[in-house]
Amino acid sequence: MAEPGKSVTAGKLAINVQKRLSRAQEKVLQKLGKADETRDVVFEEMVAKFNKQMSEGTKLHKDLKAYMAAVKTMHDASRRLQDCLADMYDPEWFGKEEMDTLVEDTDTLWLDYHQNINDKSLNTLDTYVTQFPDIKARIAKRDRKMVDFDSARHHFASLQKGKKKDEAKIAKAEEDLGRAQKIFEELNVELQDELPSLWDNRVGIYVTTFQALAGHQEKFHKEMSKLSQNLNDIMTNLEEQRQLNNYWLSSTRPASFGFSNPVPPDKTPQPALFLFVYALNGSSNPSTPPPSPHANPYPLKGEQNPEEQQQYDSDQYPEEVFSDCSLLQGVVASGSDPELPPGFIYKVKAIHDYTPTDNDEMELKMGDVVLALAFDNPDEQDDGWLLGVKESHWVQHKDISVKGVFPENFTQKV
């Protein structure tokens, strides 16, 4: 004896097989022109629009997910790069704390950007495209039910036209036709209501998706621009620190001024830069002010009295010391060269054109040579700006009234 569950399953299977055979037979007859086909041109246009909408929406969803993956990849690459910089940034370098904070802020910014796009754009598209499979399946079902309706309609008509009419079969066929027509019309009406609405809603979906994306992109790039500027400032200050350290290192090496024995043996050694300044001012000991503007406790050869001449013999002060002091005096003398303007620091050459945007700024053309000058009031100097006069103007007129400020990064030292 067969089990009830298996009997039901076998019965349904037989019914489904019979339906498929009937549909296949109906389609063959319709293609051969031996049976008419129910057509709905308006609905077919709706289906064509739906297929286009589904194709575009699916592609957009796929591309946005690819964009999200790229953002995550960029985030990972940025984090590794920033962590590498933070790890190799020595604690004694300028801005170590600022660097660590910047790395954390950059990582947080990437995380927020990725999360916001996922919440406001990708989730919207997820909801949008999840409708397509269900509607596509219902359209396919509606097409099958339309074939069933046509098949039932033709079967009922053939029984009515038959010579031998079997009222029981006709009644059964009419009942099947009514059932098939009801199922088809219910699906047809639902889809006719939903498809136009879905087609119109695509505009709102695109607006919501891309407005959110554009807004988060704008915010992300604005904040990232600030962090990039902060990183640039840290690197600029670090370079200035390096140059300053190199300057002091070079200034504190006696050999840089050519001193073979820069201080007497019984004197406390001083940095060469201080020795340079105080030697010019008439004192070799920074802690002891010079007795007068012209007095020199360590006079050069030929300036000592006979009693002191023996004291400062070549055994204590070799010839190089006195020749080097003469060299230092020559350096200072060049600072008051009448061929150079007052306050002259060094020469620079323009490597880019610069158009002034204010009255106190100087126009630069690539190749111009400018004599950089010291500011009368150092507080007036802005970071990254120099004061100067063009060399050609100074050579011709010896006039600095046309001096102006210009960006330092548009020039290089000559």
Side-chain angles (χ1 to χ4, degrees):
M1 181 177 180
E3 297 180 6
K6 292 185 178 180
S7 299
V8 172
T9 304
K12 287 185 177 180
L13 180 60
I15 294 174
N16 289 334
V17 171
Q18 182 62 39
K19 284 183 178 180
R20 290 181 182 180
L21 290 175
S22 299
R23 289 168 186 161
Q25 182 181 5
E26 182 67 23
K27 287 182 179 180
V28 170
L29 293 174
Q30 290 175 352
K31 288 181 179 180
L32 294 176
K34 295 182 178 181
D36 61 318
E37 180 183 1
T38 302
R39 300 291 301 270
D40 188 339
V41 177
V42 175
F43 186 83
E44 290 175 358
E45 291 178 354
M46 292 180 188
V47 172
K49 289 181 178 180
F50 168 76
N51 290 333
K52 178 176 183 294
Q53 181 179 4
M54 180 175 61
S55 175
E56 293 174 347
T58 303
K59 184 178 184 302
L60 176 60
H61 185 245
K62 179 181 177 181
D63 290 342
L64 185 58
K65 290 177 70 175
Y67 177 82
M68 290 285 293
V71 170
K72 190 176 187 307
T73 301
M74 278 296 299
H75 175 205
D76 293 339
S78 173
R79 180 168 51 199
R80 288 194 297 270
L81 183 63
Q82 296 279 348
D83 289 344
C84 178
L85 177 59
D87 290 342
M88 68 183 185
Y89 206 92
D90 288 351
E92 65 271 14
W93 289 357
F94 176 87
K96 172 59 176 174
E97 294 183 0
E98 289 82 352
M99 175 59 68
D100 293 339
T101 301
L102 185 142
V103 170
E104 294 178 3
D105 291 346
T106 302
D107 185 60
T108 301
L109 183 60
W110 276 107
L111 284 172
D112 290 344
Y113 180 51
H114 187 276
Q115 189 63 43
N116 286 332
I117 296 177
N118 183 76
D119 294 343
K120 302 299 175 60
S121 296
L122 187 59
N123 285 349
T124 300
L125 274 183
D126 285 341
T127 304
Y128 175 63
V129 298
T130 52
Q131 305 174 86
F132 297 145
D134 176 66
I135 295 178
K136 182 180 180 181
R138 289 163 60 196
I139 291 175
K141 184 177 180 180
R142 179 255 185 200
D143 291 342
R144 293 194 302 271
K145 296 305 178 182
M146 183 177 67
V147 175
D148 291 344
F149 169 65
D150 287 341
S151 178
R153 180 165 55 83
H154 295 149
H155 179 61
F156 176 71
S158 65
L159 290 177
Q160 283 185 325
K161 294 178 182 178
K163 294 181 181 180
K164 296 181 179 180
K165 293 184 179 180
D166 189 335
E167 296 298 332
K169 289 184 177 180
I170 293 176
K172 179 70 169 56
E174 185 177 9
E175 182 182 349
D176 292 342
L177 174 61
R179 187 184 305 109
Q181 182 177 6
K182 180 181 179 182
I183 294 174
F184 166 71
E185 288 180 350
E186 286 179 354
L187 288 171
N188 193 54
V189 170
E190 289 177 359
L191 290 172
Q192 284 181 341
D193 291 338
E194 290 183 27
L195 290 178
S197 177
L198 182 65
W199 174 256
D200 293 337
N201 287 342
R202 77 192 194 285
V203 177
I205 294 296
Y206 297 158
V207 169
T208 301
T209 300
F210 284 97
Q211 272 189 343
L213 180 61
H216 292 307
Q217 282 181 335
E218 180 183 9
K219 180 181 177 181
F220 170 78
H221 290 300
K222 184 182 295 184
E223 295 298 324
M224 185 59 73
S225 176
K226 294 179 182 178
L227 293 175
S228 299
Q229 183 60 49
N230 291 343
L231 177 60
N232 183 65
D233 293 342
I234 292 174
M235 294 295 103
T236 300
N237 290 328
L238 179 60
E239 173 62 16
E240 292 176 355
Q241 182 191 46
R242 184 189 68 84
Q243 292 179 358
L244 183 62
N245 289 341
N246 289 343
Y247 169 77
W248 282 108
L249 286 174
S250 61
S251 300
T252 54
R253 286 199 298 264
S256 64
F257 287 95
F259 285 89
S260 58
N261 189 15
V263 289
D266 58 342
K267 299 291 182 180
T268 302
Q270 300 292 339
L273 180 62
F274 295 156
L275 177 63
F276 167 76
V277 174
Y278 284 94
L280 297 178
N281 286 336
S283 173
S284 63
N285 188 352
S287 63
T288 306
S292 70
H294 304 288
N296 190 344
Y298 302 105
L300 303 178
K301 275 191 174 181
E303 296 181 359
Q304 303 96 329
N305 57 42
E307 296 178 356
E308 294 174 332
Q309 182 68 39
Q310 183 64 31
Q311 178 183 355
Y312 305 113
D313 199 0
S314 60
D315 293 338
Q316 293 184 347
Y317 301 96
E319 185 69 26
E320 291 83 357
V321 175
F322 302 104
S323 63
D324 291 335
C325 289
S326 300
L327 175 62
L328 294 179
Q329 290 180 342
V331 172
V332 176
S334 67
S336 57
D337 190 340
E339 295 301 321
L340 297 174
F344 169 76
I345 305 175
Y346 50 77
K347 288 184 183 181
V348 296
K349 185 176 182 179
I351 57 176
H352 300 288
D353 293 345
Y354 176 71
T355 303
T357 58
D358 208 344
N359 295 333
D360 63 341
E361 295 180 3
M362 176 190 298
E363 181 181 11
L364 295 178
K365 296 293 184 182
M366 189 168 64
D368 285 349
V369 177
V370 182
L371 305 178
L373 308 175
F375 281 79
D376 295 334
N377 183 2
D379 294 336
E380 296 179 355
Q381 183 176 6
D382 295 327
D383 291 341
W385 290 81
L386 297 176
L387 175 68
V389 61
K390 291 185 179 179
E391 185 181 45
S392 58
H393 179 85
W394 169 255
V395 171
Q396 293 179 9
H397 306 288
K398 303 296 182 187
D399 175 31
I400 62 172
S401 61
V402 294
K403 63 184 179 181
V405 296
F406 55 92
E408 183 178 4
N409 58 354
F410 277 61
T411 64
Q412 65 179 7
K413 291 183 180 180
V414 179

PDB file of all heavy atoms in Angstrom, residues 312-332:
ATOM      1  N   TYR A 312     102.153  86.013  23.566  1.00  0.00           N
ATOM      2  CA  TYR A 312     101.389  85.393  22.478  1.00  0.00           C
ATOM      3  C   TYR A 312     102.329  84.934  21.391  1.00  0.00           C
ATOM      4  O   TYR A 312     102.341  85.456  20.288  1.00  0.00           O
ATOM      5  CB  TYR A 312     100.350  86.370  21.913  1.00  0.00           C
ATOM      6  CG  TYR A 312      99.429  86.924  22.973  1.00  0.00           C
ATOM      7  CD1 TYR A 312      99.466  88.263  23.328  1.00  0.00           C
ATOM      8  CD2 TYR A 312      98.544  86.071  23.629  1.00  0.00           C
ATOM      9  CE1 TYR A 312      98.624  88.752  24.311  1.00  0.00           C
ATOM     10  CE2 TYR A 312      97.709  86.563  24.613  1.00  0.00           C
ATOM     11  CZ  TYR A 312      97.747  87.906  24.951  1.00  0.00           C
ATOM     12  OH  TYR A 312      96.922  88.392  25.922  1.00  0.00           O
ATOM     13  N   ASP A 313     103.166  83.992  21.744  1.00  0.00           N
ATOM     14  CA  ASP A 313     104.136  83.465  20.804  1.00  0.00           C
ATOM     15  C   ASP A 313     103.450  82.415  19.919  1.00  0.00           C
ATOM     16  O   ASP A 313     102.344  81.970  20.191  1.00  0.00           O
ATOM     17  CB  ASP A 313     105.294  82.832  21.577  1.00  0.00           C
ATOM     18  CG  ASP A 313     106.515  82.691  20.692  1.00  0.00           C
ATOM     19  OD1 ASP A 313     106.429  83.076  19.513  1.00  0.00           O
ATOM     20  OD2 ASP A 313     107.537  82.196  21.215  1.00  0.00           O
ATOM     21  N   SER A 314     104.147  82.053  18.912  1.00  0.00           N
ATOM     22  CA  SER A 314     103.573  81.080  17.980  1.00  0.00           C
ATOM     23  C   SER A 314     103.380  79.730  18.614  1.00  0.00           C
ATOM     24  O   SER A 314     102.630  78.901  18.115  1.00  0.00           O
ATOM     25  CB  SER A 314     104.453  80.955  16.748  1.00  0.00           C
ATOM     26  OG  SER A 314     105.752  80.523  17.142  1.00  0.00           O
ATOM     27  N   ASP A 315     104.044  79.467  19.781  1.00  0.00           N
ATOM     28  CA  ASP A 315     103.830  78.181  20.436  1.00  0.00           C
ATOM     29  C   ASP A 315     102.403  78.074  20.964  1.00  0.00           C
ATOM     30  O   ASP A 315     101.821  77.000  20.995  1.00  0.00           O
ATOM     31  CB  ASP A 315     104.811  78.011  21.604  1.00  0.00           C
ATOM     32  CG  ASP A 315     106.250  77.887  21.091  1.00  0.00           C
ATOM     33  OD1 ASP A 315     106.405  77.527  19.901  1.00  0.00           O
ATOM     34  OD2 ASP A 315     107.171  78.166  21.884  1.00  0.00           O
ATOM     35  N   GLN A 316     101.869  79.235  21.423  1.00  0.00           N
ATOM     36  CA  GLN A 316     100.500  79.226  21.945  1.00  0.00           C
ATOM     37  C   GLN A 316      99.485  79.570  20.864  1.00  0.00           C
ATOM     38  O   GLN A 316      98.368  79.063  20.871  1.00  0.00           O
ATOM     39  CB  GLN A 316     100.358  80.225  23.096  1.00  0.00           C
ATOM     40  CG  GLN A 316     101.137  79.842  24.335  1.00  0.00           C
ATOM     41  CD  GLN A 316     100.887  80.813  25.465  1.00  0.00           C
ATOM     42  OE1 GLN A 316     100.327  81.877  25.247  1.00  0.00           O
ATOM     43  NE2 GLN A 316     101.312  80.450  26.670  1.00  0.00           N
ATOM     44  N   TYR A 317      99.830  80.430  19.976  1.00  0.00           N
ATOM     45  CA  TYR A 317      98.906  80.878  18.920  1.00  0.00           C
ATOM     46  C   TYR A 317      99.574  80.709  17.572  1.00  0.00           C
ATOM     47  O   TYR A 317     100.330  81.575  17.136  1.00  0.00           O
ATOM     48  CB  TYR A 317      98.497  82.347  19.120  1.00  0.00           C
ATOM     49  CG  TYR A 317      97.820  82.579  20.442  1.00  0.00           C
ATOM     50  CD1 TYR A 317      98.548  83.026  21.543  1.00  0.00           C
ATOM     51  CD2 TYR A 317      96.476  82.291  20.583  1.00  0.00           C
ATOM     52  CE1 TYR A 317      97.927  83.217  22.756  1.00  0.00           C
ATOM     53  CE2 TYR A 317      95.852  82.481  21.801  1.00  0.00           C
ATOM     54  CZ  TYR A 317      96.580  82.950  22.892  1.00  0.00           C
ATOM     55  OH  TYR A 317      95.969  83.130  24.089  1.00  0.00           O
ATOM     56  N   PRO A 318      99.381  79.603  16.931  1.00  0.00           N
ATOM     57  CA  PRO A 318     100.025  79.363  15.640  1.00  0.00           C
ATOM     58  C   PRO A 318      99.604  80.400  14.618  1.00  0.00           C
ATOM     59  O   PRO A 318      98.631  81.143  14.792  1.00  0.00           O
ATOM     60  CB  PRO A 318      99.503  77.965  15.246  1.00  0.00           C
ATOM     61  CG  PRO A 318      99.058  77.357  16.536  1.00  0.00           C
ATOM     62  CD  PRO A 318      98.589  78.483  17.382  1.00  0.00           C
ATOM     63  N   GLU A 319     100.342  80.416  13.541  1.00  0.00           N
ATOM     64  CA  GLU A 319     100.124  81.404  12.488  1.00  0.00           C
ATOM     65  C   GLU A 319      98.702  81.326  11.935  1.00  0.00           C
ATOM     66  O   GLU A 319      98.099  82.332  11.596  1.00  0.00           O
ATOM     67  CB  GLU A 319     101.129  81.153  11.356  1.00  0.00           C
ATOM     68  CG  GLU A 319     101.087  82.202  10.210  1.00  0.00           C
ATOM     69  CD  GLU A 319     101.596  83.552  10.675  1.00  0.00           C
ATOM     70  OE1 GLU A 319     102.399  83.592  11.626  1.00  0.00           O
ATOM     71  OE2 GLU A 319     101.181  84.556  10.089  1.00  0.00           O
ATOM     72  N   GLU A 320      98.140  80.080  11.911  1.00  0.00           N
ATOM     73  CA  GLU A 320      96.811  79.922  11.308  1.00  0.00           C
ATOM     74  C   GLU A 320      95.751  80.690  12.082  1.00  0.00           C
ATOM     75  O   GLU A 320      94.767  81.159  11.516  1.00  0.00           O
ATOM     76  CB  GLU A 320      96.432  78.436  11.263  1.00  0.00           C
ATOM     77  CG  GLU A 320      97.247  77.603  10.277  1.00  0.00           C
ATOM     78  CD  GLU A 320      98.562  77.186  10.903  1.00  0.00           C
ATOM     79  OE1 GLU A 320      98.839  77.599  12.055  1.00  0.00           O
ATOM     80  OE2 GLU A 320      99.307  76.450  10.242  1.00  0.00           O
ATOM     81  N   VAL A 321      95.919  80.809  13.412  1.00  0.00           N
ATOM     82  CA  VAL A 321      94.911  81.503  14.220  1.00  0.00           C
ATOM     83  C   VAL A 321      94.785  82.937  13.770  1.00  0.00           C
ATOM     84  O   VAL A 321      93.683  83.455  13.563  1.00  0.00           O
ATOM     85  CB  VAL A 321      95.276  81.435  15.711  1.00  0.00           C
ATOM     86  CG1 VAL A 321      94.292  82.257  16.533  1.00  0.00           C
ATOM     87  CG2 VAL A 321      95.307  80.000  16.177  1.00  0.00           C
ATOM     88  N   PHE A 322      95.920  83.597  13.594  1.00  0.00           N
ATOM     89  CA  PHE A 322      95.889  85.021  13.264  1.00  0.00           C
ATOM     90  C   PHE A 322      95.444  85.236  11.825  1.00  0.00           C
ATOM     91  O   PHE A 322      94.737  86.181  11.513  1.00  0.00           O
ATOM     92  CB  PHE A 322      97.269  85.631  13.518  1.00  0.00           C
ATOM     93  CG  PHE A 322      97.719  85.455  14.945  1.00  0.00           C
ATOM     94  CD1 PHE A 322      98.667  84.511  15.282  1.00  0.00           C
ATOM     95  CD2 PHE A 322      97.139  86.209  15.947  1.00  0.00           C
ATOM     96  CE1 PHE A 322      99.053  84.340  16.589  1.00  0.00           C
ATOM     97  CE2 PHE A 322      97.533  86.039  17.264  1.00  0.00           C
ATOM     98  CZ  PHE A 322      98.494  85.099  17.589  1.00  0.00           C
ATOM     99  N   SER A 323      95.835  84.340  10.950  1.00  0.00           N
ATOM    100  CA  SER A 323      95.364  84.478   9.567  1.00  0.00           C
ATOM    101  C   SER A 323      93.872  84.249   9.490  1.00  0.00           C
ATOM    102  O   SER A 323      93.172  84.894   8.723  1.00  0.00           O
ATOM    103  CB  SER A 323      96.102  83.484   8.666  1.00  0.00           C
ATOM    104  OG  SER A 323      95.811  82.157   9.068  1.00  0.00           O
ATOM    105  N   ASP A 324      93.350  83.301  10.320  1.00  0.00           N
ATOM    106  CA  ASP A 324      91.910  83.049  10.331  1.00  0.00           C
ATOM    107  C   ASP A 324      91.152  84.233  10.881  1.00  0.00           C
ATOM    108  O   ASP A 324      90.058  84.556  10.420  1.00  0.00           O
ATOM    109  CB  ASP A 324      91.599  81.806  11.164  1.00  0.00           C
ATOM    110  CG  ASP A 324      92.105  80.547  10.465  1.00  0.00           C
ATOM    111  OD1 ASP A 324      92.220  80.586   9.223  1.00  0.00           O
ATOM    112  OD2 ASP A 324      92.388  79.566  11.177  1.00  0.00           O
ATOM    113  N   CYS A 325      91.669  84.885  11.895  1.00  0.00           N
ATOM    114  CA  CYS A 325      91.008  86.078  12.432  1.00  0.00           C
ATOM    115  C   CYS A 325      90.947  87.158  11.382  1.00  0.00           C
ATOM    116  O   CYS A 325      89.959  87.893  11.269  1.00  0.00           O
ATOM    117  CB  CYS A 325      91.735  86.582  13.673  1.00  0.00           C
ATOM    118  SG  CYS A 325      91.521  85.503  15.106  1.00  0.00           S
ATOM    119  N   SER A 326      91.988  87.297  10.611  1.00  0.00           N
ATOM    120  CA  SER A 326      91.976  88.286   9.527  1.00  0.00           C
ATOM    121  C   SER A 326      90.894  87.943   8.520  1.00  0.00           C
ATOM    122  O   SER A 326      90.207  88.809   7.993  1.00  0.00           O
ATOM    123  CB  SER A 326      93.351  88.320   8.834  1.00  0.00           C
ATOM    124  OG  SER A 326      94.356  88.661   9.754  1.00  0.00           O
ATOM    125  N   LEU A 327      90.730  86.626   8.266  1.00  0.00           N
ATOM    126  CA  LEU A 327      89.668  86.186   7.355  1.00  0.00           C
ATOM    127  C   LEU A 327      88.293  86.547   7.881  1.00  0.00           C
ATOM    128  O   LEU A 327      87.437  87.023   7.154  1.00  0.00           O
ATOM    129  CB  LEU A 327      89.771  84.672   7.153  1.00  0.00           C
ATOM    130  CG  LEU A 327      88.658  84.022   6.321  1.00  0.00           C
ATOM    131  CD1 LEU A 327      88.671  84.578   4.902  1.00  0.00           C
ATOM    132  CD2 LEU A 327      88.813  82.517   6.315  1.00  0.00           C
ATOM    133  N   LEU A 328      88.070  86.376   9.194  1.00  0.00           N
ATOM    134  CA  LEU A 328      86.788  86.706   9.793  1.00  0.00           C
ATOM    135  C   LEU A 328      86.489  88.174   9.673  1.00  0.00           C
ATOM    136  O   LEU A 328      85.365  88.593   9.403  1.00  0.00           O
ATOM    137  CB  LEU A 328      86.773  86.283  11.266  1.00  0.00           C
ATOM    138  CG  LEU A 328      86.853  84.780  11.532  1.00  0.00           C
ATOM    139  CD1 LEU A 328      86.857  84.525  13.030  1.00  0.00           C
ATOM    140  CD2 LEU A 328      85.735  84.057  10.859  1.00  0.00           C
ATOM    141  N   GLN A 329      87.536  89.011   9.904  1.00  0.00           N
ATOM    142  CA  GLN A 329      87.311  90.447   9.782  1.00  0.00           C
ATOM    143  C   GLN A 329      86.956  90.812   8.351  1.00  0.00           C
ATOM    144  O   GLN A 329      86.142  91.700   8.098  1.00  0.00           O
ATOM    145  CB  GLN A 329      88.563  91.196  10.237  1.00  0.00           C
ATOM    146  CG  GLN A 329      88.788  91.101  11.751  1.00  0.00           C
ATOM    147  CD  GLN A 329      90.026  91.840  12.193  1.00  0.00           C
ATOM    148  OE1 GLN A 329      90.891  92.145  11.378  1.00  0.00           O
ATOM    149  NE2 GLN A 329      90.108  92.122  13.470  1.00  0.00           N
ATOM    150  N   GLY A 330      87.522  90.069   7.402  1.00  0.00           N
ATOM    151  CA  GLY A 330      87.196  90.335   6.006  1.00  0.00           C
ATOM    152  C   GLY A 330      85.764  89.989   5.694  1.00  0.00           C
ATOM    153  O   GLY A 330      85.099  90.642   4.916  1.00  0.00           O
ATOM    154  N   VAL A 331      85.225  88.888   6.326  1.00  0.00           N
ATOM    155  CA  VAL A 331      83.827  88.497   6.108  1.00  0.00           C
ATOM    156  C   VAL A 331      82.876  89.581   6.568  1.00  0.00           C
ATOM    157  O   VAL A 331      81.908  89.936   5.914  1.00  0.00           O
ATOM    158  CB  VAL A 331      83.537  87.169   6.828  1.00  0.00           C
ATOM    159  CG1 VAL A 331      82.067  86.848   6.770  1.00  0.00           C
ATOM    160  CG2 VAL A 331      84.350  86.050   6.194  1.00  0.00           C
ATOM    161  N   VAL A 332      83.165  90.129   7.759  1.00  0.00           N
ATOM    162  CA  VAL A 332      82.305  91.189   8.288  1.00  0.00           C
ATOM    163  C   VAL A 332      82.372  92.430   7.431  1.00  0.00           C
ATOM    164  O   VAL A 332      81.373  93.102   7.177  1.00  0.00           O
ATOM    165  CB  VAL A 332      82.709  91.506   9.750  1.00  0.00           C
ATOM    166  CG1 VAL A 332      81.901  92.668  10.270  1.00  0.00           C
ATOM    167  CG2 VAL A 332      82.489  90.298  10.608  1.00  0.00           C
TER     168      VAL A 332
END
